[in-house]
Amino acid sequence: TLVAGARHALIDREQWARLERLLHLFSRETIDGSPQLKILEAWLHNVHGRWEEELQALAITETLLSQTEVLPEVADPIRGEISLMRANLLGWSYKGTEVLSLVEQALLFLPQHWHYAYSAAYMIKGYGYALTGQPKLAEEHLYRGLTDSRLTQEPRNKSLLLFGLTGLYWLNLNIPNMRLVAEQYLAHGQEFNLPESMAVAHFFLGSIYYQQNDLSEAKKHFAA
């Protein structure tokens, strides 16, 4: 209960390695019998890019929710997490309509104080607009999030929105705007010591410099 209850406080600080160490303190039987620990395992599969394992963990979590007595205040947020992660995975398949449907469910169930999860859902909704042929609406949605104090009061929220906007400009081949936002993204990660944010921002900047054939700058960012 303690680990499950603390999972989003640690996720918000990008403490993935610590979460993994905590999860590994439990037996396989315990993890597979707890919807809260199983959804945590799904998060860790997502971070490591283990998509098949993530889908399996999500399916088991759904089964556990249907077969065990879980209070609504515990079960509903988990359903939001499941919808969020399924939307994220479907985004790679360019199924925009399904992404928007799932992410609306996620935003309905996820508590706003789960900053990483809620802002990730908000960000993915922008990609849903882009994947349904509405790039202008996607850009407006993400900029609206960046000016919403409820979404930017926590550093991790703003970080995800900057990630989304940088990625959107990359998809639209708008390299000048991509560079401007990626630089803000890196500075933000450095200011609040967010290791994942800094790594992804360096990746974006390295990609920009590589496209411009500035290989020394590209190498510097990729090395970082």
Side-chain angles (χ1 to χ4, degrees), residues 18-37:
R18 186 177 178 192
L19 274 168
E20 195 150 29
R21 287 195 299 272
L22 287 171
L23 187 67
H24 288 163
L25 295 174
F26 298 100
S27 68
R28 173 48 52 190
E29 181 183 11
T30 302
I31 294 169
D32 289 343
S34 164
Q36 292 163 291
L37 292 179

Side-chain angles (χ1 to χ4, degrees), residues 47-63:
V47 168
H48 289 298
R50 299 189 292 253
W51 315 129
E52 290 298 327
E53 292 90 337
E54 179 184 353
L55 283 169
Q56 291 168 12
L58 293 175
I60 292 171
T61 305
E62 287 175 317
T63 300

Side-chain angles (χ1 to χ4, degrees), residues 115-170:
H115 302 295
Y116 182 100
Y118 191 87
S119 52
Y122 187 95
M123 181 268 290
I124 292 171
K125 186 175 182 179
Y127 275 91
Y129 288 135
L131 294 173
T132 52
Q134 305 175 83
K136 188 64 179 175
L137 185 58
E139 184 178 10
E140 290 171 354
H141 174 79
L142 291 169
Y143 268 115
R144 188 161 55 248
L146 284 167
T147 58
D148 187 337
S149 60
R150 294 171 301 172
L151 284 173
T152 57
Q153 62 181 325
E154 290 293 327
R156 192 65 187 99
N157 295 34
K158 185 174 180 180
S159 185
L160 277 168
L161 295 170
L162 290 169
F163 164 79
L165 195 56
T166 309
L168 183 66
Y169 283 135
W170 198 3

Side-chain angles (χ1 to χ4, degrees), residues 5-6 13 20 35 45 84 87-88 91 119 145 161 183 197-198 210:
R13 299 201 299 273
E20 195 150 29
H45 286 318
L84 166 61
N88 180 57
S119 52
L161 295 170
E183 288 172 345
S197 298
M198 287 185 280
Y210 182 79

Side-chain angles (χ1 to χ4, degrees), residues 162-183:
L162 290 169
F163 164 79
L165 195 56
T166 309
L168 183 66
Y169 283 135
W170 198 3
L171 288 173
N172 294 336
L173 303 179
N174 188 335
I175 299 302
N177 279 4
M178 178 185 174
R179 179 175 176 176
L180 285 172
V181 180
E183 288 172 345

Side-chain angles (χ1 to χ4, degrees), residues 188-203:
H188 178 74
Q190 291 170 333
E191 180 180 357
F192 293 99
N193 191 31
L194 298 170
E196 182 185 356
S197 298
M198 287 185 280
V200 178
H202 276 300
F203 170 74

